[in-house]
Amino acid sequence: MYLAKSYTDQSSIQRKTFEIKNNDFRPAAMESALSFRPFVVHLKNMLKDQPSVKSEFYRYVISKFENEMTKGSAVMIRDSARYKELMELVYMILTPLATNEKEHFWALSTPIPDKIFFSTDGFYNFLTQQTSSGPDITISPVELYKNQQTQYLYRLILDRLYKIPTHAKNEVLYQYTDVTTNLPKSYSIYTDTRFIDIQPKGNLPQLDYKAMEPYLLEGADTAPLEELLPLRSFRFEGFSVITMIDVTAAQATEIIRGVLVNHEYHTCKNESVIQALKTLAGNDKIDFGLIPSFQINGKFVVAKAECSQSMVVEAAKKYGMTQQTFDTLVTEYFANPEMVVFNHLSKDSLSEHPLLKLLIAEGISSYALVPVFYNKTMAGILEVFSKDDVLLDDAIFSRLQTALPLIAQLLKYSTEEFDAKIETIIRDKFTPLQPSVQWKFNQAAWHYLEKSIGNTKIADIETVTFEKVHPLYGAIDIRNSTFERNRAVKEDIKNQLTLLTGTLSSLKKMIKMETAETLVCACDRWSSEINEYLSSADEIALNRFLDAEVNPFLNRIKIEYPVAKDIVDFYFAALDETAGMAFENRRKLESSLQLINTSVAGYIENAQKSLKSAYPFYFEKFRTDGIEYDMYIGQSMAPEKPFDEIYLKNLRLWQLTSMAEIARLTEKLLPQMEKPLRTTQMIFIHSNAININFRNDERRFDVEGAYNIRYEIIKKRIDKALVRDSRERLTQPGKIALVYFNDHEAEEYVEYISDLQEMGLLDNNLEYLELEELQGVIGLKALRIGVKHL
């Protein structure tokens, strides 16, 4: 914020005076006076308005100032050293008593900031340490050049004399590279202007707030203001208080957040994220890598092209580790993720472990694997490593904690993009584009072809965009599908253990072996544990027990004792996923899920096809445990056909009607299900049009712009919404939930609900609900209405 040099050299650092260079801007041309009078007035007002335990102290300070300033209110800057005791009283009142002056960056300056005449040791030392040539420094890039300084003064004038709020903060950000750590540091510099009095010289001209508003924005041209209100027509009296706060950690996390918002985490190969993590760690000799948790068919894989920032992935390629060995290491780690730290590695610390051999070969001295979780699900791995002898201790990992939620989101986004790439490749090979948008792609391809002809450079294909389209979102979810899946797994395992115990007991009668007795006891222990609780770790451990101990034993028995063959074969036949009793509950559940999803998907496909004759729209559905879909309609999708709001209303009515029909359909399916499952129906009402782009890298449509992204975020979070002041889930079987923000958004749907009630589709139990706050989303409301079943 300041360009400063030593003005007078007093005996105490706190009384050093700094002059602020202002290039061609000359605040001396305006009338300005250093004075403590506004501060004394402030104290008197506090005594009058807010009597407190400090009142006696304030009276003492007021008396001290009035006695010392007998010759008038103005103070010459060159004489400021004489008032050291008064300035220390100002510091005592404006800062907490326990403040460490060597760590607190605080200073007093003239009302128009051109000289600093009093500061803490910390402030002075900070300035002098920025250059090897003493306190003649440039703080960049937030210097107060002429326009910035002028804006600062006019904001004061308009606020004090015209009561016009400016909304701009008296705060700037100063960033520099620390010469010790070679890492960026960030400070927020705040100017307190409470103790500045502004007096006009003559009558104030009349001003129109609306006319002034454009000139109050940051960076606006101040020339019109200078004509209306010349600065020479005002007198500034008092002093400014300057405070610097270290916001390095906050800025580092903000950099990572910016990468997420702007979808830059692939284009920049995470370089800015890595640099931000170094800043948080406070050591340039520490480096970082990221490994997302990509899966293909339920197995973890390492896409080397997507993990170019991972040290261990690059080392595995460099030293020729086989893909199978590396995938095995990754799978084992993801199966039992925990923080692993290796310090003081060297060539002398030989190891046969493949990972440690890689690290030592690469010259790594310190290495750590940090599992990163997103909503309690493994999102990936953060690598922390150094080739120098840096100790990776709790202090470093504690500083990184603030960034881990953002790193988790980044890894989650990377995984989602990877999954989307796989999905869109499949969709591209097997599913043609919908006719409603095909024309736009044909147009873009033709433009690309035209630019490519006779051009030696590879042409860029234009982004396919549809502007101002109206989004409709719906979700049919299967209630408690995760719980039912876990219960089915648990029941199947219990049945398998019961069968295994019976098998081993039969073998004991035929063959006298201690191993059979040991395994029976182990089965009994597992059966009792499963009756209590079955975690994913327990399931992994049980499968390891069955694969490593039970199955080899039974196979050996079958070979060595032919009389036992039928008993053992009967057990192994039960393990067949397609027909065996050990998978019976899971098969029944999957059969019920498949019945619901197939029926709902078929209904939606048939219903939405009949709508396309009215007006073109884009429709895309997604398969989860249930089915979600997005619809977009607007003029940009059919430029040759005039768009009318009636088409949007028809889609909205269809959406509500189809949800009622789907609720009826799934209820009718209950007698056919081997595992009875019920569905919930939800609609998200968004009245504002949005822009969508076709992302060429992912081959799918995505919303455009920060405001529109909020729409996507809300969609992903509302399925878990709760009714305000309760633990009740918004979505309920047999009902339709309609989520919205503003009451006017719901009015149209209330009319539709009334129509469908008259038709006998919906019950007369409409509820108006407020929802609990979601992460980053407040103010949501909902309608909920029951469906009449046949």
Side-chain angles (χ1 to χ4, degrees):
M1 184 176 181
Y2 301 101
L3 302 176
K5 69 178 182 180
S6 180
Y7 185 81
T8 59
D9 193 1
Q10 308 295 341
S11 59
S12 171
I13 288 177
Q14 283 89 348
R15 291 185 285 112
K16 290 276 187 177
T17 304
F18 297 100
E19 181 178 356
I20 302 169
K21 301 176 184 176
N22 289 281
N23 300 314
D24 60 340
F25 185 59
R26 296 286 181 265
M30 294 169 283
E31 188 172 346
S32 171
L34 172 61
S35 170
F36 294 101
R37 184 185 61 79
F39 178 71
V40 173
V41 171
H42 174 77
L43 292 184
K44 289 181 177 179
N45 289 334
M46 288 187 67
L47 276 176
K48 180 175 60 176
D49 300 334
Q50 301 175 12
S52 68
V53 294
K54 297 181 180 179
S55 297
E56 288 302 319
F57 178 59
Y58 289 159
R59 290 189 183 94
Y60 164 76
V61 174
I62 292 169
S63 174
K64 190 76 173 173
F65 271 93
E66 289 179 340
N67 290 336
E68 291 283 342
M69 312 302 297
T70 55
K71 295 181 180 180
S73 64
V75 176
M76 301 300 292
I77 190 70
R78 63 175 175 270
D79 297 330
S80 61
R82 291 170 46 194
Y83 302 100
K84 175 178 181 294
E85 186 178 356
L86 296 182
M87 291 184 284
E88 287 177 344
L89 286 173
V90 173
Y91 177 74
M92 187 181 300
I93 288 175
L94 297 182
T95 60
L97 288 175
T99 301
N100 186 334
E101 294 179 12
K102 293 184 178 180
E103 298 176 357
H104 189 210
F105 297 173
W106 186 96
L108 298 179
S109 78
T110 48
I112 300 174
D114 59 341
K115 293 181 180 67
I116 295 171
F117 57 87
F118 181 85
S119 73
T120 60
D121 287 340
F123 188 95
Y124 177 82
N125 292 335
F126 175 81
L127 295 186
T128 56
Q129 288 170 6
Q130 300 308 304
T131 176
S132 57
S133 59
D136 185 9
I137 69 167
T138 300
I139 297 181
S140 179
V142 287
E143 302 142 337
L144 287 178
Y145 291 107
K146 178 179 179 180
N147 194 52
Q148 293 170 302
Q149 182 76 305
T150 305
Q151 278 195 323
Y152 165 80
L153 295 172
Y154 276 118
R155 285 201 295 265
L156 279 178
I157 292 170
L158 294 172
D159 181 55
R160 298 288 176 82
L161 302 182
Y162 288 93
K163 306 302 180 185
I164 295 178
T166 62
H167 307 296
K169 296 180 180 178
N170 291 330
E171 188 175 5
V172 290
L173 184 68
Y174 161 48
Q175 297 177 305
Y176 71 100
T177 300
D178 189 294
V179 294
T180 303
T181 64
N182 198 34
L183 290 169
K185 292 279 287 183
S186 301
Y187 283 86
S188 177
I189 305 176
Y190 175 75
T191 304
D192 185 348
T193 60
R194 287 180 294 169
F195 312 115
I196 298 175
D197 189 20
I198 306 171
Q199 296 294 332
K201 298 177 182 178
N203 296 325
L204 282 172
Q206 294 293 323
L207 294 180
D208 179 21
Y209 172 72
K210 289 187 178 179
M212 293 296 100
E213 195 171 11
Y215 309 115
L216 305 180
L217 301 175
E218 202 72 43
D221 182 18
T222 59
L225 285 173
E226 294 179 60
E227 290 185 13
L228 289 170
L229 300 169
L231 290 176
R232 63 178 177 274
S233 301
F234 300 91
R235 170 183 168 84
F236 295 80
E237 180 182 333
F239 62 84
S240 299
V241 182
I242 299 165
T243 307
M244 295 178 63
I245 301 173
D246 189 342
V247 292
T248 303
Q251 283 300 117
T253 53
E254 198 59 36
I255 287 171
I256 301 175
R257 186 175 286 108
V259 168
L260 286 168
V261 170
N262 297 317
H263 292 275
E264 294 174 345
Y265 36 89
H266 278 315
T267 56
C268 67
K269 294 185 177 178
N270 294 326
E271 290 174 4
S272 56
V273 174
I274 301 302
Q275 186 61 38
L277 290 172
K278 287 186 175 187
T279 301
L280 284 172
N283 194 325
D284 189 46
K285 299 184 185 301
I286 297 177
D287 221 321
F288 299 87
L290 296 170
I291 305 176
S293 60
F294 296 154
Q295 294 186 54
I296 296 293
N297 297 330
K299 296 182 179 179
F300 291 102
V301 296
V302 176
K304 293 181 178 179
E306 305 284 344
C307 301
S308 59
Q309 290 296 123
S310 167
M311 186 283 299
V312 75
V313 171
E314 292 298 302
K317 290 192 292 185
K318 180 178 178 180
Y319 297 104
M321 177 179 283
T322 65
Q323 186 70 47
Q324 183 178 0
T325 301
F326 192 80
D327 287 348
T328 300
L329 289 175
V330 172
T331 301
E332 289 177 353
Y333 182 81
F334 274 101
N336 296 286
E338 60 182 0
M339 182 183 290
V340 179
V341 181
F342 302 105
N343 280 312
H344 309 301
L345 292 172
S346 67
K347 292 183 179 179
D348 296 332
S349 55
L350 297 176
S351 174
E352 292 302 315
H353 192 284
L355 176 61
L356 294 182
K357 288 175 69 176
L358 276 181
L359 299 176
I360 294 169
E362 193 62 14
I364 300 299
S365 175
S366 307
Y367 185 83
L369 290 171
V370 181
V372 182
F373 295 87
Y374 184 90
N375 287 343
K376 299 182 180 180
T377 301
M378 184 81 165
I381 304 169
L382 173 66
E383 295 176 295
V384 188
F385 60 93
S386 176
K387 291 189 176 182
D388 295 271
D389 194 17
V390 176
L391 182 66
L392 301 180
D393 56 14
D394 290 342
I396 289 173
F397 293 117
S398 177
R399 289 195 288 270
L400 295 173
Q401 281 298 318
T402 57
L404 286 184
L406 295 175
I407 296 299
Q409 201 167 359
L410 186 149
L411 290 168
K412 182 70 163 53
Y413 283 0
S414 296
T415 302
E416 287 176 350
E417 288 202 352
F418 175 78
D419 293 342
K421 287 177 182 178
I422 299 297
E423 181 183 343
T424 50
I425 288 172
I426 296 170
R427 190 170 58 202
D428 182 55
K429 297 298 181 184
F430 297 101
T431 306
L433 287 167
Q434 296 178 24
S436 60
V437 296
Q438 179 74 56
W439 66 271
K440 190 81 170 182
F441 288 86
N442 294 341
Q443 189 180 73
W446 169 240
H447 293 162
Y448 174 78
L449 184 61
E450 281 189 312
K451 287 188 291 185
S452 302
I453 296 174
N455 195 339
T456 56
K457 293 184 178 179
I458 298 176
D460 292 327
I461 193 164
E462 66 188 64
T463 301
V464 174
T465 302
F466 292 98
E467 297 181 343
K468 296 182 179 178
V469 293
H470 299 276
L472 294 92
Y473 170 76
I476 299 94
D477 191 31
I478 297 175
R479 173 50 55 94
N480 297 331
S481 58
T482 302
F483 171 81
E484 291 295 338
R485 185 173 280 108
N486 291 338
R487 186 167 70 173
V489 170
K490 182 177 177 180
E491 292 299 320
D492 281 342
I493 290 175
K494 285 169 62 177
N495 292 339
Q496 182 179 350
L497 288 173
T498 300
L499 177 61
L500 176 58
T501 302
T503 301
L504 293 171
S505 297
S506 298
L507 293 176
K508 274 171 46 183
K509 296 175 183 178
M510 302 171 61
I511 305 162
K512 301 298 183 184
M513 293 186 69
E514 292 185 4
T515 304
E517 183 66 38
T518 302
L519 293 177
V520 168
C521 293
C523 288
D524 290 338
R525 285 197 304 273
W526 274 112
S527 295
S528 61
E529 287 185 18
I530 289 171
N531 283 329
E532 298 290 331
Y533 175 74
L534 179 66
S535 66
S536 57
D538 292 335
E539 189 177 348
I540 292 170
L542 174 59
N543 287 331
R544 189 181 297 121
F545 162 72
L546 295 172
D547 293 337
E549 297 184 44
V550 174
N551 293 351
F553 170 77
L554 293 177
N555 282 320
R556 190 174 72 253
I557 290 295
K558 185 170 72 168
I559 295 171
E560 294 178 3
Y561 302 91
V563 68
K565 182 177 182 302
D566 290 343
I567 296 174
V568 174
D569 284 344
F570 181 82
Y571 169 77
F572 280 127
L575 305 185
D576 180 50
E577 292 189 19
T578 59
M581 62 169 289
F583 287 86
E584 181 179 3
N585 288 285
R586 278 170 280 189
R587 284 197 306 273
K588 289 180 178 178
L589 177 64
E590 289 302 322
S591 172
S592 298
L593 288 169
Q594 185 69 23
L595 176 62
I596 291 175
N597 284 328
T598 302
S599 301
V600 171
Y603 173 87
I604 291 175
E605 284 293 332
N606 293 329
Q608 59 97 7
K609 283 178 183 177
S610 64
L611 287 168
K612 290 190 177 179
S613 58
Y615 195 90
F617 65 93
Y618 183 79
F619 181 93
E620 187 175 26
K621 69 176 185 293
F622 310 91
R623 179 81 171 266
T624 56
D625 269 351
I627 288 179
E628 301 173 35
Y629 63 82
D630 280 316
M631 300 170 70
Y632 303 103
I633 186 170
Q635 182 67 72
S636 60
M637 287 194 163
E640 304 299 324
K641 184 174 183 178
F643 178 76
D644 192 288
E645 288 288 322
I646 192 65
Y647 299 122
L648 176 61
K649 290 176 182 259
N650 285 339
L651 274 190
R652 289 172 174 169
L653 177 57
W654 171 86
Q655 186 182 31
L656 182 60
T657 305
S658 65
M659 284 296 186
E661 294 287 1
I662 287 170
R664 282 184 165 187
L665 171 65
T666 55
E667 285 290 319
K668 287 174 65 176
L669 292 174
L670 282 172
Q672 304 175 42
M673 298 182 199
E674 295 181 278
K675 286 278 186 181
L677 298 171
R678 302 188 70 193
T679 62
T680 64
Q681 292 69 222
M682 181 177 63
I683 293 170
F684 177 39
I685 305 170
H686 188 78
S687 59
N688 296 326
I690 64 174
N691 299 341
I692 58 173
N693 285 345
F694 188 80
R695 295 187 62 177
N696 295 333
D697 56 341
E698 296 181 9
R699 301 298 178 95
R700 66 181 178 87
F701 280 101
D702 197 5
V703 295
E704 180 190 18
Y707 175 79
N708 296 330
I709 288 173
R710 187 166 179 262
Y711 167 75
E712 284 292 330
I713 292 173
I714 295 170
K715 273 173 39 182
K716 292 180 179 178
R717 294 177 180 169
I718 55 177
D719 64 319
K720 297 294 189 293
L722 301 177
V723 176
R724 173 75 61 84
D725 299 327
S726 76
R727 301 304 302 167
E728 179 188 1
R729 285 275 292 273
L730 168 65
T731 54
Q732 295 292 333
K735 295 186 176 183
I736 304 171
L738 302 95
V739 181
Y740 62 95
F741 271 105
N742 302 312
D743 291 337
H744 73 85
E745 293 177 324
E747 291 173 359
E748 180 181 343
Y749 283 84
V750 171
E751 294 179 9
Y752 300 151
I753 289 171
S754 178
D755 292 341
L756 296 185
Q757 285 172 333
E758 291 183 8
M759 294 169 58
L761 271 176
L762 300 179
D763 282 325
N764 294 317
N765 58 353
L766 179 60
E767 299 172 270
Y768 291 82
L769 305 171
E770 292 186 359
L771 304 184
E772 290 282 4
E773 179 179 342
L774 300 174
Q775 182 183 356
V777 183
I778 59 175
L780 281 176
K781 303 177 183 180
L783 302 173
R784 190 166 65 185
I785 184 70
V787 176
K788 277 190 176 180
H789 300 294
L790 296 175

